[in-house]
Amino acid sequence: MRTVRTVSDLRQTLQAWRADGDSVALVPTMGALHDGHLALIRIAQSQARRTVVSLFVNPRQFGAGEDLARYPRDEARDATLMREAGANLLYAPEPEAMYPAGFATTVAMEGPAQGMEADTRPGFFAGVCTVVAKLLLQAGADCAVFGEKDYQQLIVVRRLVADLDIETRIVAAPTVRETDGLARSSRNAYLDPGERARAPRLHAVLQEAAAALAAGAPPASTLDDARRALGDHFDALHYLEWRDGETLERATLLDRPGRLLAAVQLGTTRLIDNVAVPSARKAA
Ligand code: AMP
């Protein structure tokens, strides 16, 4: 597995692969790889002949006071893990290569990029949309794999490629979890043992609420109860929302597949998670 750091080296490698008739899948990451990322790489391999993993801690999606400086970085370890997982190329650009002097463009989105994550992290989706648009245009891959772990981001990326006519198919990967239900995340490394023990409650509450909604429980009180449970257990509840699984518009009925999405604060760490709310089966 080679490492390239410039757009021209990336394009040169991909052009050579294309000349050989090989299809290409891209897996964008911010490094600090864990089993969730490795699952994305495996899915990429099932979708295309060649897999490119990008590693870029995108400064533009971190707000003031967020964890950009302390975000875990270990490129050598990440490179070993992705090589073992079968990736063919690591694309690890420097910030100066992604955002050279004079860089002046921001990709802004409304719709699914509003509310939830955007409420607590202003500027986050502008940063995500800008870097994802760049990565997709730089690579020109046949497909790119994104995790359901960051569900709002996945829907935002789907909207982005549709709106900007980017010819890369977006593939969704299910969330990889610890055995106690906690979604794998690079930020779990911030949790001290006490916080780590409290963390799985996020997924448990989401699952209970999703099961109650799917069983026909009244939505308002079900969501209120879940919000109270998360607010009591964690240091703060940022949001818990029932949304349409495709558009992220507010959901009130079980007529379409939905999603429960939540973010909580646990000490200095922000945890997000989401679960499916299946639509009610139509009567035969
Ligand atoms: P990150 O490095 O956190 O920016 O994540 C890179 C990609 O991996 C994104 O598409 C994430 O949604 C995905 N990802 C992160 N954690 C998980 C997980 N536990 N399961 C599945 N995908 C994940």
Side-chain angles (χ1 to χ4, degrees):
M1 188 191 72
R2 283 181 54 224
T3 300
V4 292
R5 298 191 189 276
T6 65
V7 183
S8 59
D9 285 348
L10 174 71
R11 288 193 168 140
Q12 231 172 32
T13 307
L14 267 60
Q15 269 161 19
W17 288 346
R18 292 210 175 286
D20 288 344
D22 290 349
S23 55
V24 179
L26 173 70
V27 180
T29 82
M30 297 205 303
L33 296 197
H34 51 65
D35 286 350
H37 298 110
L38 301 181
L40 265 56
I41 294 173
R42 281 193 291 276
I43 289 173
Q45 288 171 307
S46 74
Q47 300 286 317
R49 175 87 179 80
R50 303 280 192 169
T51 297
V52 181
V53 179
S54 65
L55 192 175
F56 183 62
V57 183
N58 177 32
R60 288 182 172 240
Q61 69 189 66
F62 287 78
E66 286 192 32
D67 55 344
L68 176 61
R70 74 162 175 163
Y71 200 83
R73 289 172 169 84
D74 188 345
E75 184 184 311
R77 173 188 170 276
D78 289 340
T80 303
L81 288 173
M82 60 182 83
R83 185 186 321 106
E84 286 169 1
N88 302 103
L89 187 71
L90 166 57
Y91 173 47
E94 298 296 338
E96 301 73 32
M98 285 297 259
Y99 304 117
F103 188 90
T105 301
T106 298
V107 179
M109 186 185 292
E110 300 174 354
Q114 291 174 321
M116 297 191 287
E117 287 300 288
D119 286 343
T120 9
R121 307 182 73 188
F124 172 68
F125 283 120
V128 167
C129 287
T130 303
V131 80
V132 171
K134 280 178 69 79
L135 289 168
L136 294 178
L137 294 169
Q138 288 172 347
D142 299 275
C143 69
V145 188
F146 288 83
E148 288 183 349
K149 153 79 174 29
D150 301 281
Y151 198 81
Q152 188 177 7
Q153 171 177 282
L154 169 67
I155 301 302
V156 162
V157 169
R158 286 198 189 285
R159 185 78 258 158
L160 179 81
V161 298
D163 289 356
L164 298 187
D165 307 305
I166 296 174
E167 288 187 309
T168 299
R169 189 167 46 88
I170 302 304
V171 177
T175 302
V176 175
R177 301 180 180 281
E178 306 281 2
T179 47
D180 60 12
L182 177 65
R184 299 293 310 254
S185 166
S186 307
R187 291 188 165 99
N188 292 350
Y190 302 153
L191 300 173
D192 69 28
E195 291 166 347
R196 175 63 188 82
R198 287 162 67 197
R201 188 92 185 103
L202 174 57
H203 181 236
V205 169
L206 286 175
Q207 268 195 316
E208 285 159 21
L213 289 172
S221 60
T222 302
L223 295 175
D224 278 352
D225 290 349
R227 287 187 182 113
R228 202 169 313 112
L230 291 177
D232 289 348
H233 184 81
F234 290 99
D235 299 319
L237 169 65
H238 293 303
Y239 62 82
L240 165 65
E241 294 281 330
W242 180 20
R243 297 291 178 104
D244 184 279
E246 271 178 34
T247 63
L248 291 185
E249 283 162 9
R250 268 175 221 289
T252 50
L253 296 169
L254 291 167
D255 54 344
R256 289 165 46 80
R259 210 85 194 177
L260 274 185
L261 306 97
V264 297
Q265 192 70 32
L266 181 52
T268 59
T269 308
R270 193 165 174 281
L271 300 177
I272 64 170
D273 204 348
N274 66 88
V275 299
V277 182
S279 61
R281 242 189 302 146
K282 300 248 183 318

